[in-house]
Amino acid sequence: MNGIVIVLFAAVVLVAGYALYGRWLAKSWGVDADAITPARRMEDGKNFSPASCFTAFSHQFSSICGAGPVTGTIAAMMFGWLPVLLWVLVGGIFFGAVHDFGALYASVKNNGKSLAQLIEKYIGHTGRKLFLIFSWLFTIIVIAAFVDMVAGTFQATFGADGAVDVAKSYAGGAAGTISILFTFVAIAFGWASRRFGLSGLPQLVLAVVLFVLMFAVGMQLPLYLSKYGWFAVIAIYLLFAAAMPIQTLKQPRDYLTSIMMIVMIVCAVVGVFVLGANGQAQMTAPMVADIGALADKGSYIFPLLFVSVACGALSGFHSLVSTNTSSKQVSNEKDMLPVGYGAMVAESFVGVLAIVFAAIMFSDLNTAGTGALNNGVAATPFQIFSQGVARGMTAFGVDSTLATVFMTMCVSALALTSVDAVARIGRLSFQEFFAKGDDAAEDVESESTGAAKFFSNTWVATVVTLLLGFALAFGGYNNIWPLFGASNQLLGGMTMIALAVFCKCTGRKGWMLYVPVAFLLVCTFTSLVQSIIGCVNALATGGAAVIATSGLQLVFAILIVILGIFVAYHCLRELFTKQSGSIPDEEPEWSELGREHCGTEAK
């Protein structure tokens, strides 16, 4: 099969899904373009910060498009590229995009409430507390998996004499330097945009100029550190990214990252066409693998395929982004469709590109299973994808070194922009657990006393969350990924149940959520039970290091199963007992800054 055919087919299917099903969903639930959104009404200069449609889309897309659509899809190709492609397309349109848009929609209609606060309102206080513990544990797993991937991408290779192998380390070192520069440049870019009111073309031109300068400096001054040296650098970055006001670092960084992601997607698509014109775009990977033989080895297509693909088709993590941050930036309700549904469709397309490039490179790299073999050295899915796109870029005239550094930077940014979002969400979940009543996370610290005040402190909550995440990261992403995938999809299933309750309580259609809910609950609990069995077997046969990492994973897996059962029970109980239309949308809330900026609209 030619990769060009798959790219064109997937693009048509995803655009049609957005234009038809996405718009139908928005029309069915109701979007009011004249309504004043929470971002404008409740603007506070910290968390609620109205943004343009593209900026809000940039935040959502760069936050959700992490390692999942690349790592998950390539790992799942052990079953063949066709099953993965079908799940990415069907799951992306009817599961993932509905999930992301629904979470964003429900939050905007409820004064920007987080998912935990929505559960408090529609399901109850106990459900909220259980969900907060679940989501916090989940964010720790995500931090562990993504930090390990980023550090592994940047790490230098050292020879027997301790000297750096520059040939093998240059791309990662240059990308690492650019990533460090990215942080400071994003802060300066955000300040300049606000100070001088930049938007549209002037803002884009400034972003491009800064990109060129960052890449020029990074390629001249590569930073060579070990994997654990990069652990330390990433930890410092996440400490500040999770605690700083969103418009100071996260919002401008997401804008810059999204431009880079769009360029990457364009380069990947053009690369496929150029390789095809040269007769080099044939997908040599098996269309469908020997499912029976894989099952004999313990790799069952159900549930492993569906939890492995994760973000490419559906990710519960996206609901935390939609409700904790994106809903506080949407400045017009009509932007919810491109921000919520559109960002997920774009992410699914990234997953399709990962499938195509891994399948094209199969003749050169053994992409079966979770990795690849390149001259006897294991390659990660990130490396497979980046090498594939870099090959396509080289085919249409880009310098090979620049292409490799650019793609190394892109794939690391895929994970890094997600991990800073999830670190922030983990911090917020930890703070919100100590809330009394319906308080938001940002209100807890000022209203708490005693131990609750200490643990709800922004910096304390951030440090506790990061410490556990980094402790789990020492197990490596290969060991963490199945646990991440299963808990991620379970979070998606619980979000879908909560959205179904929201729809019923507010008199909206919710039947399109029922099949995804049933499928996700069965799939994820099956996978989690398998993970528990795997950890128990590892504990029985492994050494001290294996026992330490598997033991910690086992604790997380058991806690997530128990919490998942309790949260699902509370949600399903309310779904069957609540009366249709019994709880209307919330009355609008206003902040002083919101009233000032909205002017006559606030009256």
mmCIF file of all heavy atoms in Angstrom, residues 371-399:
data_model
loop_
_atom_site.group_PDB
_atom_site.id
_atom_site.type_symbol
_atom_site.label_atom_id
_atom_site.label_comp_id
_atom_site.label_asym_id
_atom_site.label_seq_id
_atom_site.Cartn_x
_atom_site.Cartn_y
_atom_site.Cartn_z
ATOM 1 N N GLY A 371 9.424 -1.259 19.808
ATOM 2 C CA GLY A 371 10.577 -0.475 19.399
ATOM 3 C C GLY A 371 11.070 -0.849 18.035
ATOM 4 O O GLY A 371 10.361 -1.417 17.230
ATOM 5 N N ALA A 372 12.298 -0.553 17.722
ATOM 6 C CA ALA A 372 12.868 -0.889 16.435
ATOM 7 C C ALA A 372 14.316 -1.279 16.648
ATOM 8 O O ALA A 372 14.905 -1.036 17.695
ATOM 9 C CB ALA A 372 12.759 0.306 15.498
ATOM 10 N N LEU A 373 14.911 -1.891 15.638
ATOM 11 C CA LEU A 373 16.319 -2.246 15.703
ATOM 12 C C LEU A 373 17.040 -1.536 14.576
ATOM 13 O O LEU A 373 16.680 -1.679 13.410
ATOM 14 C CB LEU A 373 16.510 -3.766 15.593
ATOM 15 C CG LEU A 373 15.963 -4.589 16.762
ATOM 16 C CD1 LEU A 373 16.144 -6.074 16.470
ATOM 17 C CD2 LEU A 373 16.675 -4.223 18.045
ATOM 18 N N ASN A 374 18.043 -0.766 14.936
ATOM 19 C CA ASN A 374 18.823 -0.034 13.953
ATOM 20 C C ASN A 374 20.289 -0.317 14.237
ATOM 21 O O ASN A 374 20.853 0.228 15.178
ATOM 22 C CB ASN A 374 18.535 1.465 14.044
ATOM 23 C CG ASN A 374 19.256 2.251 12.983
ATOM 24 O OD1 ASN A 374 19.835 1.689 12.066
ATOM 25 N ND2 ASN A 374 19.223 3.570 13.110
ATOM 26 N N ASN A 375 20.868 -1.200 13.450
ATOM 27 C CA ASN A 375 22.253 -1.617 13.682
ATOM 28 C C ASN A 375 22.435 -2.176 15.093
ATOM 29 O O ASN A 375 23.429 -1.925 15.760
ATOM 30 C CB ASN A 375 23.224 -0.445 13.472
ATOM 31 C CG ASN A 375 23.193 0.052 12.033
ATOM 32 O OD1 ASN A 375 23.050 -0.740 11.104
ATOM 33 N ND2 ASN A 375 23.310 1.358 11.859
ATOM 34 N N GLY A 376 21.404 -2.902 15.547
ATOM 35 C CA GLY A 376 21.494 -3.550 16.844
ATOM 36 C C GLY A 376 21.153 -2.670 18.024
ATOM 37 O O GLY A 376 21.181 -3.108 19.156
ATOM 38 N N VAL A 377 20.833 -1.387 17.781
ATOM 39 C CA VAL A 377 20.511 -0.467 18.865
ATOM 40 C C VAL A 377 19.007 -0.226 18.888
ATOM 41 O O VAL A 377 18.412 0.118 17.873
ATOM 42 C CB VAL A 377 21.253 0.878 18.686
ATOM 43 C CG1 VAL A 377 20.905 1.833 19.820
ATOM 44 C CG2 VAL A 377 22.756 0.630 18.641
ATOM 45 N N ALA A 378 18.387 -0.416 20.038
ATOM 46 C CA ALA A 378 16.944 -0.227 20.124
ATOM 47 C C ALA A 378 16.582 1.230 19.884
ATOM 48 O O ALA A 378 17.225 2.134 20.412
ATOM 49 C CB ALA A 378 16.451 -0.672 21.507
ATOM 50 N N ALA A 379 15.563 1.453 19.065
ATOM 51 C CA ALA A 379 15.080 2.805 18.783
ATOM 52 C C ALA A 379 13.664 2.950 19.323
ATOM 53 O O ALA A 379 12.858 2.024 19.246
ATOM 54 C CB ALA A 379 15.102 3.080 17.278
ATOM 55 N N THR A 380 13.373 4.102 19.873
ATOM 56 C CA THR A 380 12.044 4.355 20.421
ATOM 57 C C THR A 380 11.087 4.733 19.288
ATOM 58 O O THR A 380 11.521 5.129 18.196
ATOM 59 C CB THR A 380 12.084 5.502 21.438
ATOM 60 O OG1 THR A 380 12.413 6.712 20.750
ATOM 61 C CG2 THR A 380 13.114 5.234 22.525
ATOM 62 N N PRO A 381 9.779 4.644 19.515
ATOM 63 C CA PRO A 381 8.822 5.118 18.512
ATOM 64 C C PRO A 381 9.066 6.572 18.114
ATOM 65 O O PRO A 381 8.875 6.938 16.950
ATOM 66 C CB PRO A 381 7.476 4.952 19.220
ATOM 67 C CG PRO A 381 7.687 3.797 20.141
ATOM 68 C CD PRO A 381 9.098 3.962 20.627
ATOM 69 N N PHE A 382 9.491 7.402 19.077
ATOM 70 C CA PHE A 382 9.833 8.796 18.764
ATOM 71 C C PHE A 382 10.930 8.851 17.703
ATOM 72 O O PHE A 382 10.868 9.641 16.767
ATOM 73 C CB PHE A 382 10.329 9.507 20.031
ATOM 74 C CG PHE A 382 9.242 10.222 20.787
ATOM 75 C CD1 PHE A 382 7.908 9.980 20.522
ATOM 76 C CD2 PHE A 382 9.564 11.133 21.773
ATOM 77 C CE1 PHE A 382 6.904 10.629 21.217
ATOM 78 C CE2 PHE A 382 8.575 11.802 22.478
ATOM 79 C CZ PHE A 382 7.241 11.544 22.201
ATOM 80 N N GLN A 383 11.951 8.029 17.876
ATOM 81 C CA GLN A 383 13.073 8.038 16.942
ATOM 82 C C GLN A 383 12.655 7.519 15.571
ATOM 83 O O GLN A 383 13.118 8.018 14.542
ATOM 84 C CB GLN A 383 14.231 7.235 17.521
ATOM 85 C CG GLN A 383 14.862 7.884 18.746
ATOM 86 C CD GLN A 383 15.833 6.967 19.464
ATOM 87 O OE1 GLN A 383 15.613 5.770 19.545
ATOM 88 N NE2 GLN A 383 16.902 7.530 20.008
ATOM 89 N N ILE A 384 11.803 6.506 15.556
ATOM 90 C CA ILE A 384 11.303 5.987 14.281
ATOM 91 C C ILE A 384 10.548 7.077 13.529
ATOM 92 O O ILE A 384 10.780 7.302 12.329
ATOM 93 C CB ILE A 384 10.378 4.773 14.519
ATOM 94 C CG1 ILE A 384 11.152 3.623 15.156
ATOM 95 C CG2 ILE A 384 9.745 4.314 13.207
ATOM 96 C CD1 ILE A 384 10.274 2.490 15.636
ATOM 97 N N PHE A 385 9.661 7.754 14.227
ATOM 98 C CA PHE A 385 8.862 8.807 13.597
ATOM 99 C C PHE A 385 9.743 9.961 13.130
ATOM 100 O O PHE A 385 9.616 10.444 11.994
ATOM 101 C CB PHE A 385 7.814 9.303 14.588
ATOM 102 C CG PHE A 385 6.918 10.390 14.039
ATOM 103 C CD1 PHE A 385 6.058 10.138 12.988
ATOM 104 C CD2 PHE A 385 6.944 11.665 14.586
ATOM 105 C CE1 PHE A 385 5.226 11.135 12.481
ATOM 106 C CE2 PHE A 385 6.133 12.665 14.097
ATOM 107 C CZ PHE A 385 5.267 12.396 13.036
ATOM 108 N N SER A 386 10.651 10.408 14.003
ATOM 109 C CA SER A 386 11.493 11.549 13.642
ATOM 110 C C SER A 386 12.419 11.206 12.485
ATOM 111 O O SER A 386 12.640 12.020 11.580
ATOM 112 C CB SER A 386 12.309 12.025 14.856
ATOM 113 O OG SER A 386 13.169 11.014 15.314
ATOM 114 N N GLN A 387 12.977 9.968 12.471
ATOM 115 C CA GLN A 387 13.832 9.559 11.356
ATOM 116 C C GLN A 387 13.044 9.489 10.057
ATOM 117 O O GLN A 387 13.542 9.870 8.990
ATOM 118 C CB GLN A 387 14.469 8.199 11.649
ATOM 119 C CG GLN A 387 15.548 8.233 12.728
ATOM 120 C CD GLN A 387 16.086 6.844 13.036
ATOM 121 O OE1 GLN A 387 16.060 5.957 12.191
ATOM 122 N NE2 GLN A 387 16.561 6.663 14.265
ATOM 123 N N GLY A 388 11.800 9.026 10.144
ATOM 124 C CA GLY A 388 10.969 8.911 8.948
ATOM 125 C C GLY A 388 10.638 10.261 8.345
ATOM 126 O O GLY A 388 10.779 10.476 7.127
ATOM 127 N N VAL A 389 10.191 11.204 9.180
ATOM 128 C CA VAL A 389 9.845 12.532 8.679
ATOM 129 C C VAL A 389 11.096 13.264 8.196
ATOM 130 O O VAL A 389 11.066 13.965 7.173
ATOM 131 C CB VAL A 389 9.119 13.363 9.758
ATOM 132 C CG1 VAL A 389 8.782 14.757 9.223
ATOM 133 C CG2 VAL A 389 7.827 12.664 10.199
ATOM 134 N N ALA A 390 12.205 13.105 8.935
ATOM 135 C CA ALA A 390 13.463 13.736 8.505
ATOM 136 C C ALA A 390 13.891 13.206 7.134
ATOM 137 O O ALA A 390 14.399 13.957 6.293
ATOM 138 C CB ALA A 390 14.558 13.482 9.540
ATOM 139 N N ARG A 391 13.674 11.923 6.887
ATOM 140 C CA ARG A 391 13.985 11.356 5.569
ATOM 141 C C ARG A 391 13.128 12.017 4.491
ATOM 142 O O ARG A 391 13.624 12.350 3.408
ATOM 143 C CB ARG A 391 13.739 9.850 5.575
ATOM 144 C CG ARG A 391 14.007 9.182 4.232
ATOM 145 C CD ARG A 391 13.607 7.720 4.233
ATOM 146 N NE ARG A 391 14.400 6.936 5.161
ATOM 147 C CZ ARG A 391 14.277 5.602 5.296
ATOM 148 N NH1 ARG A 391 13.398 4.946 4.581
ATOM 149 N NH2 ARG A 391 15.028 4.966 6.157
ATOM 150 N N GLY A 392 11.849 12.227 4.795
ATOM 151 C CA GLY A 392 10.969 12.900 3.836
ATOM 152 C C GLY A 392 11.392 14.338 3.598
ATOM 153 O O GLY A 392 11.353 14.836 2.468
ATOM 154 N N MET A 393 11.799 15.047 4.674
ATOM 155 C CA MET A 393 12.250 16.433 4.532
ATOM 156 C C MET A 393 13.518 16.511 3.688
ATOM 157 O O MET A 393 13.678 17.414 2.855
ATOM 158 C CB MET A 393 12.494 17.046 5.916
ATOM 159 C CG MET A 393 11.225 17.239 6.743
ATOM 160 S SD MET A 393 11.566 17.755 8.458
ATOM 161 C CE MET A 393 12.229 19.417 8.181
ATOM 162 N N THR A 394 14.417 15.570 3.909
ATOM 163 C CA THR A 394 15.645 15.542 3.121
ATOM 164 C C THR A 394 15.333 15.318 1.648
ATOM 165 O O THR A 394 16.001 15.875 0.764
ATOM 166 C CB THR A 394 16.585 14.434 3.632
ATOM 167 O OG1 THR A 394 16.860 14.649 5.026
ATOM 168 C CG2 THR A 394 17.895 14.424 2.869
ATOM 169 N N ALA A 395 14.287 14.523 1.379
ATOM 170 C CA ALA A 395 13.919 14.225 -0.008
ATOM 171 C C ALA A 395 13.463 15.470 -0.764
ATOM 172 O O ALA A 395 13.618 15.531 -1.986
ATOM 173 C CB ALA A 395 12.814 13.168 -0.038
ATOM 174 N N PHE A 396 12.897 16.465 -0.035
ATOM 175 C CA PHE A 396 12.508 17.683 -0.758
ATOM 176 C C PHE A 396 13.466 18.840 -0.495
ATOM 177 O O PHE A 396 13.119 20.005 -0.664
ATOM 178 C CB PHE A 396 11.039 18.079 -0.503
ATOM 179 C CG PHE A 396 10.671 18.440 0.899
ATOM 180 C CD1 PHE A 396 10.965 19.691 1.434
ATOM 181 C CD2 PHE A 396 9.976 17.534 1.703
ATOM 182 C CE1 PHE A 396 10.592 20.025 2.723
ATOM 183 C CE2 PHE A 396 9.596 17.870 2.994
ATOM 184 C CZ PHE A 396 9.907 19.121 3.506
ATOM 185 N N GLY A 397 14.714 18.519 -0.126
ATOM 186 C CA GLY A 397 15.774 19.513 -0.158
ATOM 187 C C GLY A 397 16.245 20.098 1.152
ATOM 188 O O GLY A 397 17.161 20.924 1.166
ATOM 189 N N VAL A 398 15.671 19.714 2.276
ATOM 190 C CA VAL A 398 16.113 20.234 3.568
ATOM 191 C C VAL A 398 17.410 19.546 3.975
ATOM 192 O O VAL A 398 17.564 18.332 3.788
ATOM 193 C CB VAL A 398 15.030 20.023 4.655
ATOM 194 C CG1 VAL A 398 15.505 20.542 6.007
ATOM 195 C CG2 VAL A 398 13.737 20.716 4.257
ATOM 196 N N ASP A 399 18.355 20.304 4.504
ATOM 197 C CA ASP A 399 19.610 19.742 4.985
ATOM 198 C C ASP A 399 19.326 18.635 6.003
ATOM 199 O O ASP A 399 18.492 18.796 6.901
ATOM 200 C CB ASP A 399 20.457 20.837 5.634
ATOM 201 C CG ASP A 399 21.751 20.293 6.220
ATOM 202 O OD1 ASP A 399 22.672 20.013 5.461
ATOM 203 O OD2 ASP A 399 21.786 20.148 7.465
#
